Amino acid sequence: MFDRISVDHEICGGKPCVKGTRIPVYMVLELIEAEIGFDKIIKDYYPDLTKEDIKACVEYAKMLVKEEEIHFAAELKE
């Protein structure tokens, strides 16, 4: 995955992008969310991407969520 996703503060404000492009991961995920298939994403939106690039975007997002820690504030007792 990390051979396909890069983070560089000088490219797209440091947002994760598909390596070698200025295509942010979140934009690819938005297309998937809109139920646009991988082939259509490549054909109509990002012809420089491969299916493996798109899968890497999904894996990157999955990894972030999996590793995320959520801290809840302690409830105030009266």
Side-chain angles (χ1 to χ4, degrees):
M1 167 189 43
F2 291 111
D3 59 329
R4 295 187 179 273
I5 305 297
S6 66
V7 179
D8 183 334
H9 71 278
E10 293 185 16
I11 298 174
C12 294
K15 299 283 186 202
C17 293
V18 177
K19 191 174 274 186
T21 75
R22 291 183 173 270
I23 303 170
V25 168
Y26 79 87
M27 292 181 79
V28 176
L29 295 174
E30 286 176 344
L31 294 172
I32 294 169
E33 178 186 30
E35 299 181 5
I36 298 171
F38 288 13
D39 291 330
K40 188 165 180 67
I41 290 172
I42 294 166
K43 181 178 178 265
D44 295 345
Y45 296 89
Y46 299 117
D48 293 334
L49 293 185
T50 65
K51 287 183 182 181
E52 290 74 23
D53 293 329
I54 297 170
K55 289 177 185 178
C57 291
V58 173
E59 286 296 317
Y60 182 81
K62 188 172 83 175
M63 184 224 30
L64 288 179
V65 172
K66 183 178 179 181
E67 299 299 322
E68 180 180 38
E69 288 186 28
I70 299 173
H71 302 277
F72 295 98
E75 290 185 34
L76 298 175
K77 295 185 180 185
E78 296 180 27

